[in-house]
Amino acid sequence: MSAGRRIGTDDHEGFDRPRRRTRPRTKNRPDYSEAEIGMITSITRGRYQVLVGDRPVIAVKARQLGRKAAIVGDRVRVVGDTSGAEGTLARIVDVEARRSVLRRTADDDDPYERPIVANADQLVIVTALADPPPRTGMIDRILVAGYDAGVAPLLCLTKADLASPDDLVAAYAPLDVPIVVLDPDAELAPLQDALQDRVSVLVGHSGVGKSTLVNRLIPDADRATGGVNEVTGRGRHTSTSAIALPLPGGGWVIDTPGVRSFGLSHVDPATIIAAFGDLAEIARDCPRGCDHRTGAPDCALDPAVAAGRVSAERVASFRRMISAEREP
């Protein structure tokens, strides 16, 4: 062995495969500050329709976004061919900060949140008064999700030609939730006024008439409609994905698929009472960790009712709603 050769070396060590990640990474990231901004109006099989100015553009999500969700209502930055011409494809490279995100989980044991809509400022809970009958538990759960998201609620009662709205109106009046009652021949002016210049997401049980309502509000929307299964009494799913549609007088409605459950495992009860200024003020005197439900030890809401600071009906309605978070 020659003196110049090291023990344990190999004649072929200079020909080893190069180590992984030997190329230096650049610290320069692409600058998309000048990229055009649009709003996602629908998503179909990984293709995003983005309204850029007045042009509907088809886009895909860029790889660098990874698992980051982009949902209907998101404002996004797009690059590539944004002409909107047939056969062209743009690329979503960034998602702007959201003002709000309405979420749900599949059920109360599901740890995974499912974002439904971004940047809505109004949640329209569409409920039929009959066929199918109203489910206050579902209404309460959607209200909880809306308050958690910081989205103002509106209760829209349809099919008033089939049943009286009085009981439901009385049930939600203490919560100060705005209510619009409609029948098939009713003028839509009260609802149109409530939707004017706002981004409103329509949510409700299958078969309550959301798509029919959208077709009346936007005559060229052409949303598929369906009836109620006579055997199960449940509505048939007609909308299969969320879609944002511009209102003729200004504003947007986002129609969503009918839901049969609304999981709330992602909701912190503390965010709900914060939506009720008068109750939140009283709740400052509650012990740490108080959930404000019926029977909660030393809950400050009870002496406030006894002292006449707040109505018993409002507290009862509030407690019924937040208790829905624990119900199946």
Side-chain angles (χ1 to χ4, degrees):
M1 181 180 294
S2 65
R5 185 173 179 185
R6 291 180 287 117
I7 297 175
T9 58
D10 189 291
D11 290 338
H12 302 287
E13 68 177 354
F15 300 95
D16 284 348
R17 184 177 298 172
R19 295 176 182 270
R20 296 182 64 185
R21 297 182 179 176
T22 55
R23 293 181 58 187
R25 286 188 175 185
T26 176
K27 293 184 178 179
N28 297 323
R29 295 289 183 264
D31 180 8
Y32 297 120
S33 60
E34 300 300 320
E36 293 185 274
I37 297 179
M39 184 180 83
I40 296 177
T41 57
S42 66
I43 305 170
T44 305
R45 296 187 179 91
R47 293 292 189 266
Y48 297 76
Q49 180 163 293
V50 183
L51 189 67
V52 181
D54 58 357
R55 307 184 309 278
V57 172
I58 303 300
V60 294
K61 190 173 66 170
R63 181 177 298 177
Q64 70 260 26
L65 291 180
R67 295 180 179 272
K68 185 177 181 180
I71 57 178
V72 170
D74 265 328
R75 291 182 59 77
V76 295
R77 293 184 180 271
V78 292
V79 298
D81 193 331
T82 61
S83 66
E86 185 175 356
T88 59
L89 194 64
R91 197 159 45 97
I92 296 172
V93 292
D94 197 14
V95 179
E96 298 286 279
R98 295 162 172 166
R99 300 192 310 274
S100 66
V101 187
L102 181 66
R103 299 177 171 91
R104 76 180 181 101
T105 52
D107 55 53
D108 288 342
D109 296 323
D110 185 356
Y112 300 105
E113 301 176 9
R114 287 162 172 75
I116 302 172
V117 167
N119 298 320
D121 50 43
Q122 183 167 241
L123 170 61
V124 181
I125 305 170
V126 184
T127 301
L129 291 164
D131 192 32
R135 294 169 53 191
T136 55
M138 175 68 83
I139 298 171
D140 291 342
R141 294 171 77 81
I142 298 173
L143 275 173
V144 167
Y147 286 124
D148 179 67
V151 181
L154 170 71
L155 185 56
C156 180
L157 306 180
T158 62
K159 305 184 184 181
D161 56 320
L162 301 180
S164 170
D166 293 348
D167 288 345
L168 271 185
V169 170
Y172 291 96
L175 293 176
D176 296 328
V177 176
I179 299 174
V180 175
V181 180
L182 300 174
D183 64 52
D185 299 318
E187 289 292 328
L188 291 180
L191 181 59
Q192 289 169 326
D193 290 344
L195 300 178
Q196 183 77 31
D197 297 326
R198 305 187 74 172
V199 179
S200 303
V201 52
L202 275 58
V203 178
H205 192 55
S206 303
V208 298
K210 285 190 296 84
S211 296
T212 298
L213 192 58
V214 169
N215 287 338
R216 291 186 65 193
L217 289 166
I218 309 169
D220 59 352
D222 196 27
R223 295 295 275 167
T225 60
V228 175
N229 188 302
E230 294 180 0
V231 176
T232 65
R234 293 180 174 180
R236 297 185 175 93
H237 290 287
T238 51
S239 303
T240 57
S241 59
I243 183 170
L245 300 162
L247 287 164
W252 290 82
V253 292
I254 303 177
D255 189 17
T256 62
V259 293
R260 290 176 179 165
S261 65
F262 212 99
L264 297 172
S265 63
H266 64 289
V267 173
D268 178 357
T271 65
I272 304 168
I273 197 166
F276 298 86
D278 56 340
L279 301 185
E281 181 69 25
I282 295 169
R284 291 179 181 178
D285 296 327
C286 287
R288 184 186 298 271
C290 180
D291 62 12
H292 317 299
R293 294 180 170 87
T294 302
D298 301 319
C299 179
L301 296 180
D302 296 308
V305 169
R309 293 175 59 194
V310 63
S311 74
E313 292 79 10
R314 181 166 171 80
V315 171
S317 294
F318 169 76
R319 283 175 165 166
R320 185 198 69 238
M321 181 188 67
I322 62 173
S323 294
E325 184 207 356
R326 292 180 174 175
E327 296 172 0

